[in-house]
Amino acid sequence: MPCPVVEVVVERAVVGAGGYPSDLTDEQWTLVEPLLPPPRTGPKGGRREKHPRRRIVDAIFYVLRTGCAWRQLPHNFPPWQTVYWHFVRWHGEGTVARVHDALRAQVRRAEGRSEEPSAGLIDSQSVRTADTVPAATRGFDAGKKVKGRKRFLVTDTLGLLLAVNVMAASIQDRDGAKRPLLWARLDHPSVRKVWADQGFAGRLVEWTAQILGRELEIVRKDPGQRGFQVQPKRWAVERTFSWLTTHRRLARDYEHHPAHAETMIRWAMIGIMVRRLARGCPAMRPGPHPLRRTPAE
């Protein structure tokens, strides 16, 4: 007797106009489009842009999610020179930061929070770099045995980005944290308290209190702790790092300039936030796929 055929029903991923899973859906694009600057035109108007902006943004997300080089963009995207030109232009004009901040405010409102947070978290992550990264912008992290760059993130208690700074991995946490803490203090004066791990203990706590007028609290591990354990308060920033490393472009640092690496992180957070706003709730792990038995022919 032949065995019955078991058919697995799997829901296909929702894709955008270009057919790639990294493309924005129509609902997600309606969140991003109003935040982009108007097209550049001359005194008498000028010609319209040749390539749709949606395809430009989709191409940036394609590079971010797949980790491919700019020159290896598929042919159904605009030319890679055009995409990279927009990437650099929006970086230099501060457009990416403004889009990111506007979406972060929307996510916080949707979560029932005020637009500006009152507390934050800081942590660092050392990542390896590509061979094309200049030696002057990379170093060796002796503690984690990583040669590359170090990312400093300041997030709110939801894990949303407040400040980011990328520098050589050879810089100690307590020294490299001063710049992102300063940026968070200037851009988000409502943040009164920041939690950090033991690597930020010492003179940085005094510097934060004396220079910034803010409290830096060190969350220490239990002396009897063995193995991994989720730390109170700090788990949200650790989750943010896991969000970022799902993007292959961020699994290793490929950017020539550290500032462009910071912009890539902001683009990743933009993609995370627009998906969250379009869903209306945080992502959940999918359950087991339903199975349906079909009679044998």
Side-chain angles (χ1 to χ4, degrees):
M1 179 177 180
C3 297
V5 178
V6 179
E7 179 182 354
V8 180
V9 180
V10 181
E11 183 179 358
R12 295 185 61 185
V14 178
V15 296
Y20 295 103
S22 59
D23 292 347
L24 296 179
T25 63
D26 294 339
E27 187 177 1
Q28 295 168 0
W29 175 242
T30 58
L31 297 171
V32 176
E33 184 180 17
L35 303 176
L36 296 176
R40 285 185 175 180
T41 55
K44 297 183 179 180
R47 68 185 182 94
R48 296 189 301 175
E49 293 182 340
K50 183 177 180 180
H51 301 283
R53 287 193 168 188
R54 181 171 180 175
R55 298 304 293 155
I56 299 291
V57 174
D58 286 343
I60 294 175
F61 280 123
Y62 183 89
V63 171
L64 186 61
R65 294 293 301 200
T66 63
C68 76
W70 293 104
R71 295 173 182 267
Q72 294 178 349
L73 275 172
H75 292 295
N76 55 349
F77 284 119
W80 73 266
Q81 297 93 332
T82 303
V83 177
Y84 184 72
W85 183 86
H86 279 84
F87 174 84
V88 174
R89 172 195 166 192
W90 288 338
H91 160 78
E93 294 178 347
T95 299
V96 181
R98 289 192 295 271
V99 172
H100 171 272
D101 293 348
L103 291 173
R104 184 188 61 231
Q106 294 182 37
V107 173
R108 288 187 60 85
R109 287 197 302 268
E111 292 291 330
R113 309 290 186 92
S114 60
E115 293 187 3
E116 287 297 327
S118 59
L121 314 163
I122 187 171
D123 204 355
S124 66
Q125 179 190 50
S126 297
V127 294
R128 291 179 173 84
T129 53
D131 296 337
T132 55
V133 173
T137 62
R138 63 188 183 197
F140 182 72
D141 186 344
K144 298 180 180 178
K145 303 296 187 292
V146 173
K147 183 178 181 181
R149 287 175 175 167
K150 185 176 288 188
R151 301 164 177 164
F152 288 88
L153 299 186
V154 180
T155 70
D156 62 6
T157 54
L158 296 177
L160 304 178
L161 188 66
L162 300 180
V164 56
N165 191 27
V166 177
M167 57 186 67
S170 56
I171 299 177
Q172 296 290 330
D173 285 353
R174 63 179 62 93
D175 297 326
K178 292 182 178 180
R179 184 174 296 178
L181 284 174
L182 176 60
W183 289 347
R185 170 67 176 84
L186 296 176
D187 296 337
H188 308 279
S190 61
V191 175
R192 310 296 300 181
K193 187 174 185 177
V194 179
W195 286 283
D197 63 12
Q198 297 177 112
F200 298 88
R203 59 180 179 269
L204 180 63
V205 178
E206 301 176 359
W207 180 87
T208 304
Q210 296 176 2
I211 304 300
L212 303 182
R214 296 296 183 265
E215 180 184 359
L216 181 65
E217 180 178 335
I218 305 300
V219 180
R220 300 185 181 276
K221 296 181 180 179
D222 186 351
Q225 175 182 336
R226 291 182 177 275
F228 173 78
Q229 183 177 347
V230 177
Q231 299 298 318
K233 306 295 184 183
R234 286 190 47 249
W235 65 271
V237 66
E238 299 285 357
R239 183 183 59 179
T240 303
F241 280 120
S242 68
W243 288 344
L244 296 177
T245 50
T246 59
H247 302 76
R248 292 191 176 185
R249 185 78 178 193
L250 299 179
R252 183 184 292 257
D253 198 328
Y254 295 93
E255 311 309 321
H256 187 83
H257 301 288
H260 287 178
E262 297 167 5
T263 299
M264 275 295 183
I265 292 175
R266 290 191 178 92
W267 272 114
M269 292 302 299
I270 289 173
I272 291 169
M273 289 187 292
V274 295
R275 290 194 298 272
R276 185 166 180 172
L277 289 169
R279 279 193 309 264
C281 62
M284 303 295 291
R285 287 186 178 273
H289 296 299
L291 300 179
R292 185 177 62 195
R293 292 184 178 273
T294 57
E297 295 182 358

